[in-house]
Amino acid sequence: MNVHTTSRPAIAARRFTLATDLDGTFLGGTPEDRHRLYTWIEQNRDSVGLIFVTGRDPEFIMEMCREQGLPWPEFVVGDVGTTIAEVHADGSIAPIAALEEDIAARWNDQGQAVREAFADHPGLKLQPTEFRYRVSYDLTPTGYDVTAEAKVEAMGLDWLISDNRYFDVLPKGVSKGPSIRRLIDHLGIAEERVLCAGDTMNDLSMLISGLPSVAVGNSETALMQRLHDINTVYHAKAHGAAGILEAIAAFELHDIPKGV
């Protein structure tokens, strides 16, 4: 299976790179909206780079690309920023060791200690997947005990609540924003040629990173409240995929033909 060709220009040489969240953003909007965006990307792969920046793990992302026919990304910032990887032409994922060393050091193998500390914490249910440098929980708002946040901080780690239903424990200072900036710098992509796209609080650090960004029209209220004074963020009216296209045109990052 060849998911992308090595004959394309290097991603840093392309006119534009989309760094996008998945759920609610790249996967958001109507089927027609998604088809428009995905078709436009595939028709312009020599001038458009694609990076997925998501809370999902890389294996899930690749499976989704195979099964749902998504455009294949060339790089992935996954696991809420704790994975930074390249996607090879055969669909395999290769973590970029030089970019993950700092993440691993900040995590310091604390996964088991976190799981033990929150084994019976009210309102948190451990997600079954074991991640390398994070621990994730499903959150029940009505039963959640906010002392979880102080417990995480006492361990020298960071916590993140998104969509009022997910609770992530992360290495200190690691999230989508720092990781996408680290990858952009590593690849030599000019910042002004990038668009970051998101819709929930776990996208906040990416959207306020200083890179051109869009909060799509269906973004959660808590995120919108945090973004109202950030002048690098475009607030799209359209939802999901259509909001991404709206922002590309608004920032004049690439030509968007009428009807696309």
Side-chain angles (χ1 to χ4, degrees):
M1 175 184 61
N2 185 38
V3 300
H4 61 75
T5 174
T6 56
S7 64
R8 293 177 190 156
I11 194 168
R14 296 183 214 173
R15 177 175 176 182
F16 163 65
T17 292
L18 174 63
T20 180
D21 170 58
L22 291 176
D23 298 279
T25 308
F26 197 72
L27 299 175
T30 67
E32 293 77 17
D33 292 337
R34 295 193 296 272
H35 178 73
R36 287 169 55 221
L37 176 60
Y38 302 168
T39 300
W40 177 81
I41 289 172
E42 294 292 22
Q43 290 175 345
N44 292 277
R45 290 309 290 253
D46 282 350
S47 60
V48 175
L50 183 61
I51 301 171
F52 287 166
V53 188
T54 174
R56 300 286 191 175
D57 63 276
E59 290 74 17
F60 180 91
I61 297 165
M62 298 303 100
E63 181 180 342
M64 191 163 47
C65 288
R66 294 185 187 97
E67 294 182 355
Q68 298 188 25
L70 302 180
W72 284 78
E74 288 138 303
F75 295 89
V76 168
V77 174
D79 297 320
V80 201
T82 61
T83 291
I84 307 176
E86 182 175 5
V87 181
H88 288 168
D90 62 359
S92 61
I93 290 285
I96 303 173
L99 301 183
E100 290 197 349
E101 287 174 358
D102 180 64
I103 294 171
R106 289 169 183 256
W107 185 240
N108 196 26
D109 291 324
Q110 293 196 73
Q112 185 58 34
V114 171
R115 287 186 287 272
E116 291 175 0
F118 290 91
D120 300 308
H121 193 88
L124 296 181
K125 180 180 178 182
L126 182 68
Q127 292 182 5
T129 304
E130 286 200 20
F131 304 103
R132 294 179 304 152
Y133 309 128
R134 73 187 249 222
V135 179
S136 296
Y137 297 86
D138 294 320
L139 183 150
T140 304
T142 54
Y144 172 63
D145 183 343
V146 297
T147 60
E149 297 154 22
K151 286 169 67 174
V152 172
E153 292 166 7
M155 299 177 76
L157 301 170
D158 283 346
W159 56 271
L160 175 65
I161 294 174
S162 59
D163 207 20
N164 206 31
R165 60 192 179 117
Y166 302 117
F167 184 92
D168 289 296
V169 182
L170 304 168
K172 190 73 174 176
V174 176
S175 59
K176 288 184 177 184
S179 291
I180 187 58
R181 288 200 65 100
R182 184 175 289 148
L183 178 60
I184 293 299
D185 181 65
H186 175 78
L187 296 172
I189 302 174
E191 293 183 2
E192 66 272 14
R193 298 210 304 267
V194 176
L195 177 69
C196 298
D199 73 306
T200 70
M201 283 297 290
N202 77 10
D203 299 312
L204 176 65
S205 66
M206 173 172 65
L207 300 185
I208 65 172
S209 67
L211 298 168
S213 299
V214 56
V216 295
N218 50 295
S219 294
E220 67 171 308
T221 301
L223 178 67
M224 299 300 284
Q225 290 172 342
R226 295 288 297 274
L227 295 175
H228 73 278
D229 286 332
I230 310 298
N231 60 16
T232 53
V233 178
Y234 177 81
H235 295 264
K237 293 182 174 63
H239 291 198
I244 294 173
L245 283 168
E246 180 185 330
I248 295 170
F251 279 120
E252 299 182 343
L253 289 163
H254 202 290
D255 300 323
I256 305 290
K258 291 182 179 180
V260 171

